[in-house]
Amino acid sequence: MSQLTAIAVANQKGTGDDSTEVSFHSGDWYHEEGYKRQVWTEAHKKLQLNGWNDKTDSEIVKCVLNTFSVVVGEERENLVSLPSYMLTSEVFTNDCQKTAWILKRLFRGNVSDEEDCFHDLVILLSTKRIHDPLSVIAYLFFLKDRERYVTVKKDHYRNISFPKLEISSSCLNECTWENYQTIIDIARQIEVLLERYFEDVELIDAQSFLWMMWRVEKAWPWVAKRVEPNVGIEETRVMYPDGKKTEYYVTRYERSPQNRAAAIRIHGCKCCVCGFDFEKTYGALGKNFIEVHHLVPLYSLDEEVKVNPETDLVCLCANCHRMIHRKVNAILTPEQLKHIMVEAAANSAL
């Protein structure tokens, strides 16, 4: 059983017994946070996207507002507070034509339209003093694509989650596209970390993990590290002394943004394993996008070392990077992953 699971179970059950399996799809964690998937499913039924061609602007706005009222489970869980919903409803219905135009671009437009839609929604909602407009906008983006976007609990993150992870809460100060991308980046890094210990992890599970912090407090010395743009997560080592009392010693390994930039300058933005090029596939959206991988994991080193971006770092696409880290105790080299891909292609051709 993973270290993180054992810590979380010990905290939830009040025992050090690690025989109980914990996952994001069953058990205590799912009972606490699984409602997000249910809300998304029920909200999409109310959204009625397939019928928007035959609906008026006011009907489209009504469909979207109906998703805000979705509640599930005995606790009547939802993802947007009632005051925010009421004020948003007032704003949206005051100018149905403009609101519908933004919503149609968001839900049925191109990826390249999304940043503009975010800005348009910020301007639209600024007409009312909504306490947390980011939660409303993030909810809409989450509805559009839960694999790329997350919901946001600003006060919860500012007061609980981010302080425990020692992350600056500056990205919560203003409702901007850049700040929202920073929050998503934090969730992405946590998702990558969780994938080493759990099966079928999704971005929605990373945000659930952030929301659950106050319930699994003992897990945070293990995961707490600075999760910022251009600072990668490296696995921490946890030591277990004898006796009933268990203490967790966490070592943090921060990656230098300068080394990352140098690696990209030297190796380019094409994956060194599969050759994937984000810009060729996604156009301007993918320009200069790539992940940087340490050939020697930082957690395997006992002291700070100087990293040579030319020999110690390589550039990988997100898929290859995750496959290289698929097994915690057997991290692959790029050459080994290439060999695996060649064998898989040969077998599929038979």
Side-chain angles (χ1 to χ4, degrees), residues 57-66 68 84-100 103 121 124-125 127-128 130:
D57 289 343
S58 60
E59 288 172 335
I60 289 174
V61 170
K62 184 177 180 180
C63 285
V64 173
L65 289 174
N66 284 342
F68 283 69
S84 293
Y85 162 65
M86 296 299 291
L87 288 172
T88 301
S89 178
E90 185 177 341
V91 172
F92 279 12
T93 53
N94 277 347
D95 192 341
C96 283
Q97 184 177 10
K98 182 177 180 180
T99 301
L103 294 174
L121 285 167
L124 187 66
L125 293 174
T127 59
K128 287 289 181 180
I130 298 176

PDB file of all heavy atoms in Angstrom, residues 57-66 68 84-100 103 121 124-125 127-128 130:
ATOM      1  N   ASP A  57     -31.922  32.531 -27.254  1.00  0.00           N
ATOM      2  CA  ASP A  57     -30.882  32.968 -26.317  1.00  0.00           C
ATOM      3  C   ASP A  57     -31.327  32.796 -24.866  1.00  0.00           C
ATOM      4  O   ASP A  57     -30.559  32.337 -24.016  1.00  0.00           O
ATOM      5  CB  ASP A  57     -30.520  34.438 -26.575  1.00  0.00           C
ATOM      6  CG  ASP A  57     -29.756  34.626 -27.873  1.00  0.00           C
ATOM      7  OD1 ASP A  57     -29.235  33.620 -28.403  1.00  0.00           O
ATOM      8  OD2 ASP A  57     -29.674  35.780 -28.348  1.00  0.00           O
ATOM      9  N   SER A  58     -32.558  33.173 -24.582  1.00  0.00           N
ATOM     10  CA  SER A  58     -33.051  33.069 -23.203  1.00  0.00           C
ATOM     11  C   SER A  58     -33.143  31.604 -22.760  1.00  0.00           C
ATOM     12  O   SER A  58     -32.893  31.288 -21.589  1.00  0.00           O
ATOM     13  CB  SER A  58     -34.419  33.742 -23.064  1.00  0.00           C
ATOM     14  OG  SER A  58     -35.383  33.134 -23.920  1.00  0.00           O
ATOM     15  N   GLU A  59     -33.480  30.712 -23.674  1.00  0.00           N
ATOM     16  CA  GLU A  59     -33.555  29.287 -23.334  1.00  0.00           C
ATOM     17  C   GLU A  59     -32.173  28.720 -23.068  1.00  0.00           C
ATOM     18  O   GLU A  59     -32.000  27.882 -22.163  1.00  0.00           O
ATOM     19  CB  GLU A  59     -34.235  28.519 -24.466  1.00  0.00           C
ATOM     20  CG  GLU A  59     -35.734  28.780 -24.560  1.00  0.00           C
ATOM     21  CD  GLU A  59     -36.354  28.158 -25.799  1.00  0.00           C
ATOM     22  OE1 GLU A  59     -35.630  27.941 -26.808  1.00  0.00           O
ATOM     23  OE2 GLU A  59     -37.569  27.881 -25.771  1.00  0.00           O
ATOM     24  N   ILE A  60     -31.156  29.156 -23.830  1.00  0.00           N
ATOM     25  CA  ILE A  60     -29.778  28.699 -23.600  1.00  0.00           C
ATOM     26  C   ILE A  60     -29.282  29.175 -22.234  1.00  0.00           C
ATOM     27  O   ILE A  60     -28.697  28.412 -21.471  1.00  0.00           O
ATOM     28  CB  ILE A  60     -28.857  29.217 -24.719  1.00  0.00           C
ATOM     29  CG1 ILE A  60     -29.161  28.477 -26.022  1.00  0.00           C
ATOM     30  CG2 ILE A  60     -27.386  29.058 -24.339  1.00  0.00           C
ATOM     31  CD1 ILE A  60     -28.411  29.021 -27.223  1.00  0.00           C
ATOM     32  N   VAL A  61     -29.559  30.440 -21.920  1.00  0.00           N
ATOM     33  CA  VAL A  61     -29.158  30.973 -20.621  1.00  0.00           C
ATOM     34  C   VAL A  61     -29.848  30.210 -19.502  1.00  0.00           C
ATOM     35  O   VAL A  61     -29.229  29.886 -18.476  1.00  0.00           O
ATOM     36  CB  VAL A  61     -29.499  32.482 -20.530  1.00  0.00           C
ATOM     37  CG1 VAL A  61     -29.318  32.992 -19.101  1.00  0.00           C
ATOM     38  CG2 VAL A  61     -28.623  33.275 -21.486  1.00  0.00           C
ATOM     39  N   LYS A  62     -31.109  29.884 -19.688  1.00  0.00           N
ATOM     40  CA  LYS A  62     -31.849  29.127 -18.672  1.00  0.00           C
ATOM     41  C   LYS A  62     -31.245  27.741 -18.471  1.00  0.00           C
ATOM     42  O   LYS A  62     -31.131  27.258 -17.337  1.00  0.00           O
ATOM     43  CB  LYS A  62     -33.321  29.001 -19.078  1.00  0.00           C
ATOM     44  CG  LYS A  62     -34.180  28.305 -18.029  1.00  0.00           C
ATOM     45  CD  LYS A  62     -35.640  28.262 -18.448  1.00  0.00           C
ATOM     46  CE  LYS A  62     -36.482  27.554 -17.385  1.00  0.00           C
ATOM     47  NZ  LYS A  62     -37.914  27.490 -17.777  1.00  0.00           N
ATOM     48  N   CYS A  63     -30.860  27.088 -19.570  1.00  0.00           N
ATOM     49  CA  CYS A  63     -30.231  25.765 -19.461  1.00  0.00           C
ATOM     50  C   CYS A  63     -28.972  25.827 -18.614  1.00  0.00           C
ATOM     51  O   CYS A  63     -28.737  24.967 -17.757  1.00  0.00           O
ATOM     52  CB  CYS A  63     -29.881  25.229 -20.853  1.00  0.00           C
ATOM     53  SG  CYS A  63     -31.280  24.630 -21.813  1.00  0.00           S
ATOM     54  N   VAL A  64     -28.139  26.841 -18.852  1.00  0.00           N
ATOM     55  CA  VAL A  64     -26.895  26.985 -18.093  1.00  0.00           C
ATOM     56  C   VAL A  64     -27.183  27.281 -16.626  1.00  0.00           C
ATOM     57  O   VAL A  64     -26.581  26.691 -15.728  1.00  0.00           O
ATOM     58  CB  VAL A  64     -26.009  28.090 -18.711  1.00  0.00           C
ATOM     59  CG1 VAL A  64     -24.792  28.356 -17.825  1.00  0.00           C
ATOM     60  CG2 VAL A  64     -25.551  27.696 -20.108  1.00  0.00           C
ATOM     61  N   LEU A  65     -28.113  28.188 -16.373  1.00  0.00           N
ATOM     62  CA  LEU A  65     -28.454  28.515 -14.983  1.00  0.00           C
ATOM     63  C   LEU A  65     -29.031  27.313 -14.244  1.00  0.00           C
ATOM     64  O   LEU A  65     -28.830  27.163 -13.035  1.00  0.00           O
ATOM     65  CB  LEU A  65     -29.439  29.684 -14.944  1.00  0.00           C
ATOM     66  CG  LEU A  65     -28.854  31.049 -15.328  1.00  0.00           C
ATOM     67  CD1 LEU A  65     -29.950  32.094 -15.396  1.00  0.00           C
ATOM     68  CD2 LEU A  65     -27.774  31.471 -14.334  1.00  0.00           C
ATOM     69  N   ASN A  66     -29.737  26.451 -14.957  1.00  0.00           N
ATOM     70  CA  ASN A  66     -30.288  25.245 -14.326  1.00  0.00           C
ATOM     71  C   ASN A  66     -29.196  24.337 -13.777  1.00  0.00           C
ATOM     72  O   ASN A  66     -29.412  23.607 -12.813  1.00  0.00           O
ATOM     73  CB  ASN A  66     -31.143  24.466 -15.327  1.00  0.00           C
ATOM     74  CG  ASN A  66     -32.495  25.105 -15.558  1.00  0.00           C
ATOM     75  OD1 ASN A  66     -32.953  25.924 -14.759  1.00  0.00           O
ATOM     76  ND2 ASN A  66     -33.142  24.747 -16.658  1.00  0.00           N
ATOM     77  N   PHE A  68     -26.599  25.256 -12.235  1.00  0.00           N
ATOM     78  CA  PHE A  68     -26.118  25.770 -10.949  1.00  0.00           C
ATOM     79  C   PHE A  68     -26.925  25.204  -9.784  1.00  0.00           C
ATOM     80  O   PHE A  68     -26.457  25.181  -8.649  1.00  0.00           O
ATOM     81  CB  PHE A  68     -26.204  27.299 -10.924  1.00  0.00           C
ATOM     82  CG  PHE A  68     -25.117  27.990 -11.690  1.00  0.00           C
ATOM     83  CD1 PHE A  68     -25.068  27.918 -13.068  1.00  0.00           C
ATOM     84  CD2 PHE A  68     -24.143  28.722 -11.031  1.00  0.00           C
ATOM     85  CE1 PHE A  68     -24.081  28.573 -13.781  1.00  0.00           C
ATOM     86  CE2 PHE A  68     -23.140  29.372 -11.733  1.00  0.00           C
ATOM     87  CZ  PHE A  68     -23.107  29.294 -13.117  1.00  0.00           C
ATOM     88  N   SER A  84     -23.910  33.237  -4.859  1.00  0.00           N
ATOM     89  CA  SER A  84     -23.266  33.430  -6.161  1.00  0.00           C
ATOM     90  C   SER A  84     -24.219  33.054  -7.287  1.00  0.00           C
ATOM     91  O   SER A  84     -24.266  33.713  -8.330  1.00  0.00           O
ATOM     92  CB  SER A  84     -21.996  32.592  -6.250  1.00  0.00           C
ATOM     93  OG  SER A  84     -21.013  33.054  -5.355  1.00  0.00           O
ATOM     94  N   TYR A  85     -24.966  31.975  -7.081  1.00  0.00           N
ATOM     95  CA  TYR A  85     -25.932  31.540  -8.099  1.00  0.00           C
ATOM     96  C   TYR A  85     -27.005  32.597  -8.328  1.00  0.00           C
ATOM     97  O   TYR A  85     -27.346  32.926  -9.468  1.00  0.00           O
ATOM     98  CB  TYR A  85     -26.568  30.219  -7.678  1.00  0.00           C
ATOM     99  CG  TYR A  85     -27.854  29.910  -8.414  1.00  0.00           C
ATOM    100  CD1 TYR A  85     -27.853  29.679  -9.780  1.00  0.00           C
ATOM    101  CD2 TYR A  85     -29.067  29.865  -7.732  1.00  0.00           C
ATOM    102  CE1 TYR A  85     -29.028  29.411 -10.468  1.00  0.00           C
ATOM    103  CE2 TYR A  85     -30.241  29.596  -8.398  1.00  0.00           C
ATOM    104  CZ  TYR A  85     -30.218  29.370  -9.765  1.00  0.00           C
ATOM    105  OH  TYR A  85     -31.385  29.112 -10.432  1.00  0.00           O
ATOM    106  N   MET A  86     -27.529  33.166  -7.243  1.00  0.00           N
ATOM    107  CA  MET A  86     -28.603  34.146  -7.356  1.00  0.00           C
ATOM    108  C   MET A  86     -28.137  35.395  -8.103  1.00  0.00           C
ATOM    109  O   MET A  86     -28.829  35.904  -8.988  1.00  0.00           O
ATOM    110  CB  MET A  86     -29.109  34.533  -5.962  1.00  0.00           C
ATOM    111  CG  MET A  86     -29.742  33.374  -5.191  1.00  0.00           C
ATOM    112  SD  MET A  86     -31.200  32.690  -6.036  1.00  0.00           S
ATOM    113  CE  MET A  86     -32.343  34.044  -5.850  1.00  0.00           C
ATOM    114  N   LEU A  87     -26.935  35.882  -7.764  1.00  0.00           N
ATOM    115  CA  LEU A  87     -26.417  37.076  -8.425  1.00  0.00           C
ATOM    116  C   LEU A  87     -26.071  36.793  -9.883  1.00  0.00           C
ATOM    117  O   LEU A  87     -26.311  37.619 -10.768  1.00  0.00           O
ATOM    118  CB  LEU A  87     -25.185  37.591  -7.677  1.00  0.00           C
ATOM    119  CG  LEU A  87     -25.455  38.241  -6.319  1.00  0.00           C
ATOM    120  CD1 LEU A  87     -24.148  38.529  -5.598  1.00  0.00           C
ATOM    121  CD2 LEU A  87     -26.261  39.524  -6.479  1.00  0.00           C
ATOM    122  N   THR A  88     -25.501  35.606 -10.144  1.00  0.00           N
ATOM    123  CA  THR A  88     -25.175  35.224 -11.519  1.00  0.00           C
ATOM    124  C   THR A  88     -26.440  35.125 -12.355  1.00  0.00           C
ATOM    125  O   THR A  88     -26.479  35.568 -13.512  1.00  0.00           O
ATOM    126  CB  THR A  88     -24.428  33.877 -11.548  1.00  0.00           C
ATOM    127  OG1 THR A  88     -23.228  33.985 -10.781  1.00  0.00           O
ATOM    128  CG2 THR A  88     -24.076  33.480 -12.979  1.00  0.00           C
ATOM    129  N   SER A  89     -27.472  34.562 -11.781  1.00  0.00           N
ATOM    130  CA  SER A  89     -28.757  34.448 -12.477  1.00  0.00           C
ATOM    131  C   SER A  89     -29.290  35.812 -12.871  1.00  0.00           C
ATOM    132  O   SER A  89     -29.782  36.018 -13.989  1.00  0.00           O
ATOM    133  CB  SER A  89     -29.770  33.723 -11.581  1.00  0.00           C
ATOM    134  OG  SER A  89     -31.023  33.641 -12.222  1.00  0.00           O
ATOM    135  N   GLU A  90     -29.153  36.768 -11.958  1.00  0.00           N
ATOM    136  CA  GLU A  90     -29.630  38.122 -12.243  1.00  0.00           C
ATOM    137  C   GLU A  90     -28.832  38.758 -13.381  1.00  0.00           C
ATOM    138  O   GLU A  90     -29.398  39.381 -14.288  1.00  0.00           O
ATOM    139  CB  GLU A  90     -29.519  38.981 -10.974  1.00  0.00           C
ATOM    140  CG  GLU A  90     -30.108  40.363 -11.125  1.00  0.00           C
ATOM    141  CD  GLU A  90     -30.037  41.149  -9.839  1.00  0.00           C
ATOM    142  OE1 GLU A  90     -29.881  40.529  -8.763  1.00  0.00           O
ATOM    143  OE2 GLU A  90     -30.133  42.396  -9.909  1.00  0.00           O
ATOM    144  N   VAL A  91     -27.511  38.572 -13.347  1.00  0.00           N
ATOM    145  CA  VAL A  91     -26.648  39.144 -14.393  1.00  0.00           C
ATOM    146  C   VAL A  91     -26.944  38.508 -15.741  1.00  0.00           C
ATOM    147  O   VAL A  91     -27.100  39.198 -16.762  1.00  0.00           O
ATOM    148  CB  VAL A  91     -25.158  38.955 -14.031  1.00  0.00           C
ATOM    149  CG1 VAL A  91     -24.273  39.367 -15.208  1.00  0.00           C
ATOM    150  CG2 VAL A  91     -24.802  39.766 -12.801  1.00  0.00           C
ATOM    151  N   PHE A  92     -27.012  37.193 -15.771  1.00  0.00           N
ATOM    152  CA  PHE A  92     -27.203  36.474 -17.033  1.00  0.00           C
ATOM    153  C   PHE A  92     -28.542  36.818 -17.688  1.00  0.00           C
ATOM    154  O   PHE A  92     -28.633  36.956 -18.913  1.00  0.00           O
ATOM    155  CB  PHE A  92     -27.113  34.968 -16.801  1.00  0.00           C
ATOM    156  CG  PHE A  92     -25.701  34.441 -16.720  1.00  0.00           C
ATOM    157  CD1 PHE A  92     -24.622  35.298 -16.594  1.00  0.00           C
ATOM    158  CD2 PHE A  92     -25.450  33.079 -16.772  1.00  0.00           C
ATOM    159  CE1 PHE A  92     -23.328  34.826 -16.518  1.00  0.00           C
ATOM    160  CE2 PHE A  92     -24.151  32.586 -16.705  1.00  0.00           C
ATOM    161  CZ  PHE A  92     -23.095  33.462 -16.573  1.00  0.00           C
ATOM    162  N   THR A  93     -29.590  36.937 -16.888  1.00  0.00           N
ATOM    163  CA  THR A  93     -30.923  37.182 -17.458  1.00  0.00           C
ATOM    164  C   THR A  93     -31.146  38.645 -17.828  1.00  0.00           C
ATOM    165  O   THR A  93     -32.050  38.968 -18.602  1.00  0.00           O
ATOM    166  CB  THR A  93     -32.018  36.732 -16.474  1.00  0.00           C
ATOM    167  OG1 THR A  93     -31.800  37.351 -15.198  1.00  0.00           O
ATOM    168  CG2 THR A  93     -32.003  35.228 -16.316  1.00  0.00           C
ATOM    169  N   ASN A  94     -30.321  39.546 -17.283  1.00  0.00           N
ATOM    170  CA  ASN A  94     -30.446  40.962 -17.623  1.00  0.00           C
ATOM    171  C   ASN A  94     -30.075  41.232 -19.078  1.00  0.00           C
ATOM    172  O   ASN A  94     -30.593  42.164 -19.692  1.00  0.00           O
ATOM    173  CB  ASN A  94     -29.570  41.824 -16.704  1.00  0.00           C
ATOM    174  CG  ASN A  94     -30.251  42.118 -15.386  1.00  0.00           C
ATOM    175  OD1 ASN A  94     -31.446  41.903 -15.237  1.00  0.00           O
ATOM    176  ND2 ASN A  94     -29.486  42.587 -14.415  1.00  0.00           N
ATOM    177  N   ASP A  95     -29.163  40.443 -19.618  1.00  0.00           N
ATOM    178  CA  ASP A  95     -28.746  40.624 -21.012  1.00  0.00           C
ATOM    179  C   ASP A  95     -28.560  39.240 -21.639  1.00  0.00           C
ATOM    180  O   ASP A  95     -27.442  38.758 -21.805  1.00  0.00           O
ATOM    181  CB  ASP A  95     -27.448  41.428 -21.088  1.00  0.00           C
ATOM    182  CG  ASP A  95     -27.127  41.884 -22.504  1.00  0.00           C
ATOM    183  OD1 ASP A  95     -27.686  41.300 -23.454  1.00  0.00           O
ATOM    184  OD2 ASP A  95     -26.303  42.808 -22.664  1.00  0.00           O
ATOM    185  N   CYS A  96     -29.673  38.597 -21.954  1.00  0.00           N
ATOM    186  CA  CYS A  96     -29.640  37.222 -22.462  1.00  0.00           C
ATOM    187  C   CYS A  96     -28.867  37.115 -23.777  1.00  0.00           C
ATOM    188  O   CYS A  96     -28.161  36.124 -24.010  1.00  0.00           O
ATOM    189  CB  CYS A  96     -31.068  36.695 -22.662  1.00  0.00           C
ATOM    190  SG  CYS A  96     -31.878  36.204 -21.138  1.00  0.00           S
ATOM    191  N   GLN A  97     -28.995  38.112 -24.614  1.00  0.00           N
ATOM    192  CA  GLN A  97     -28.340  38.038 -25.926  1.00  0.00           C
ATOM    193  C   GLN A  97     -26.819  38.000 -25.777  1.00  0.00           C
ATOM    194  O   GLN A  97     -26.148  37.144 -26.371  1.00  0.00           O
ATOM    195  CB  GLN A  97     -28.754  39.226 -26.782  1.00  0.00           C
ATOM    196  CG  GLN A  97     -28.187  39.157 -28.205  1.00  0.00           C
ATOM    197  CD  GLN A  97     -28.663  40.314 -29.077  1.00  0.00           C
ATOM    198  OE1 GLN A  97     -29.271  41.264 -28.596  1.00  0.00           O
ATOM    199  NE2 GLN A  97     -28.405  40.236 -30.363  1.00  0.00           N
ATOM    200  N   LYS A  98     -26.285  38.919 -24.985  1.00  0.00           N
ATOM    201  CA  LYS A  98     -24.836  38.955 -24.784  1.00  0.00           C
ATOM    202  C   LYS A  98     -24.356  37.720 -24.038  1.00  0.00           C
ATOM    203  O   LYS A  98     -23.336  37.117 -24.383  1.00  0.00           O
ATOM    204  CB  LYS A  98     -24.450  40.217 -24.004  1.00  0.00           C
ATOM    205  CG  LYS A  98     -22.950  40.362 -23.797  1.00  0.00           C
ATOM    206  CD  LYS A  98     -22.635  41.674 -23.088  1.00  0.00           C
ATOM    207  CE  LYS A  98     -21.136  41.830 -22.888  1.00  0.00           C
ATOM    208  NZ  LYS A  98     -20.814  43.119 -22.197  1.00  0.00           N
ATOM    209  N   THR A  99     -25.091  37.323 -23.003  1.00  0.00           N
ATOM    210  CA  THR A  99     -24.715  36.155 -22.209  1.00  0.00           C
ATOM    211  C   THR A  99     -24.709  34.897 -23.061  1.00  0.00           C
ATOM    212  O   THR A  99     -23.777  34.089 -23.005  1.00  0.00           O
ATOM    213  CB  THR A  99     -25.680  35.973 -21.025  1.00  0.00           C
ATOM    214  OG1 THR A  99     -25.658  37.146 -20.213  1.00  0.00           O
ATOM    215  CG2 THR A  99     -25.277  34.771 -20.185  1.00  0.00           C
ATOM    216  N   ALA A 100     -25.752  34.718 -23.873  1.00  0.00           N
ATOM    217  CA  ALA A 100     -25.852  33.527 -24.726  1.00  0.00           C
ATOM    218  C   ALA A 100     -24.704  33.484 -25.736  1.00  0.00           C
ATOM    219  O   ALA A 100     -24.166  32.417 -26.041  1.00  0.00           O
ATOM    220  CB  ALA A 100     -27.192  33.501 -25.447  1.00  0.00           C
ATOM    221  N   LEU A 103     -21.692  32.248 -23.856  1.00  0.00           N
ATOM    222  CA  LEU A 103     -21.845  30.840 -23.489  1.00  0.00           C
ATOM    223  C   LEU A 103     -21.721  29.925 -24.708  1.00  0.00           C
ATOM    224  O   LEU A 103     -21.142  28.836 -24.623  1.00  0.00           O
ATOM    225  CB  LEU A 103     -23.185  30.621 -22.799  1.00  0.00           C
ATOM    226  CG  LEU A 103     -23.342  31.307 -21.431  1.00  0.00           C
ATOM    227  CD1 LEU A 103     -24.764  31.151 -20.917  1.00  0.00           C
ATOM    228  CD2 LEU A 103     -22.339  30.751 -20.427  1.00  0.00           C
ATOM    229  N   LEU A 121     -16.631  36.897 -19.425  1.00  0.00           N
ATOM    230  CA  LEU A 121     -17.423  36.538 -18.250  1.00  0.00           C
ATOM    231  C   LEU A 121     -17.025  37.388 -17.040  1.00  0.00           C
ATOM    232  O   LEU A 121     -17.886  37.777 -16.238  1.00  0.00           O
ATOM    233  CB  LEU A 121     -17.246  35.051 -17.932  1.00  0.00           C
ATOM    234  CG  LEU A 121     -17.981  34.088 -18.867  1.00  0.00           C
ATOM    235  CD1 LEU A 121     -17.486  32.659 -18.665  1.00  0.00           C
ATOM    236  CD2 LEU A 121     -19.494  34.165 -18.655  1.00  0.00           C
ATOM    237  N   LEU A 124     -18.706  40.680 -17.553  1.00  0.00           N
ATOM    238  CA  LEU A 124     -20.153  40.534 -17.371  1.00  0.00           C
ATOM    239  C   LEU A 124     -20.521  40.443 -15.895  1.00  0.00           C
ATOM    240  O   LEU A 124     -21.449  41.115 -15.429  1.00  0.00           O
ATOM    241  CB  LEU A 124     -20.637  39.286 -18.117  1.00  0.00           C
ATOM    242  CG  LEU A 124     -22.152  39.052 -18.171  1.00  0.00           C
ATOM    243  CD1 LEU A 124     -22.826  40.152 -18.981  1.00  0.00           C
ATOM    244  CD2 LEU A 124     -22.442  37.682 -18.789  1.00  0.00           C
ATOM    245  N   LEU A 125     -19.780  39.632 -15.148  1.00  0.00           N
ATOM    246  CA  LEU A 125     -20.106  39.426 -13.736  1.00  0.00           C
ATOM    247  C   LEU A 125     -19.694  40.608 -12.863  1.00  0.00           C
ATOM    248  O   LEU A 125     -20.138  40.713 -11.724  1.00  0.00           O
ATOM    249  CB  LEU A 125     -19.429  38.143 -13.231  1.00  0.00           C
ATOM    250  CG  LEU A 125     -19.952  36.837 -13.832  1.00  0.00           C
ATOM    251  CD1 LEU A 125     -19.115  35.652 -13.372  1.00  0.00           C
ATOM    252  CD2 LEU A 125     -21.415  36.620 -13.451  1.00  0.00           C
ATOM    253  N   THR A 127     -20.608  43.481 -13.097  1.00  0.00           N
ATOM    254  CA  THR A 127     -21.733  44.401 -12.923  1.00  0.00           C
ATOM    255  C   THR A 127     -22.442  44.173 -11.597  1.00  0.00           C
ATOM    256  O   THR A 127     -23.224  45.011 -11.154  1.00  0.00           O
ATOM    257  CB  THR A 127     -22.755  44.255 -14.068  1.00  0.00           C
ATOM    258  OG1 THR A 127     -23.239  42.903 -14.099  1.00  0.00           O
ATOM    259  CG2 THR A 127     -22.100  44.586 -15.403  1.00  0.00           C
ATOM    260  N   LYS A 128     -22.186  43.026 -10.970  1.00  0.00           N
ATOM    261  CA  LYS A 128     -22.730  42.738  -9.644  1.00  0.00           C
ATOM    262  C   LYS A 128     -21.574  42.385  -8.713  1.00  0.00           C
ATOM    263  O   LYS A 128     -20.566  41.822  -9.140  1.00  0.00           O
ATOM    264  CB  LYS A 128     -23.703  41.548  -9.694  1.00  0.00           C
ATOM    265  CG  LYS A 128     -25.028  41.855 -10.338  1.00  0.00           C
ATOM    266  CD  LYS A 128     -25.878  42.763  -9.447  1.00  0.00           C
ATOM    267  CE  LYS A 128     -27.225  43.055 -10.079  1.00  0.00           C
ATOM    268  NZ  LYS A 128     -28.056  43.924  -9.235  1.00  0.00           N
ATOM    269  N   ILE A 130     -20.310  40.093  -6.892  1.00  0.00           N
ATOM    270  CA  ILE A 130     -20.278  38.679  -6.536  1.00  0.00           C
ATOM    271  C   ILE A 130     -19.022  38.412  -5.714  1.00  0.00           C
ATOM    272  O   ILE A 130     -17.915  38.782  -6.114  1.00  0.00           O
ATOM    273  CB  ILE A 130     -20.296  37.805  -7.804  1.00  0.00           C
ATOM    274  CG1 ILE A 130     -21.604  38.054  -8.572  1.00  0.00           C
ATOM    275  CG2 ILE A 130     -20.150  36.329  -7.464  1.00  0.00           C
ATOM    276  CD1 ILE A 130     -21.685  37.309  -9.879  1.00  0.00           C
TER     277      ILE A 130
END
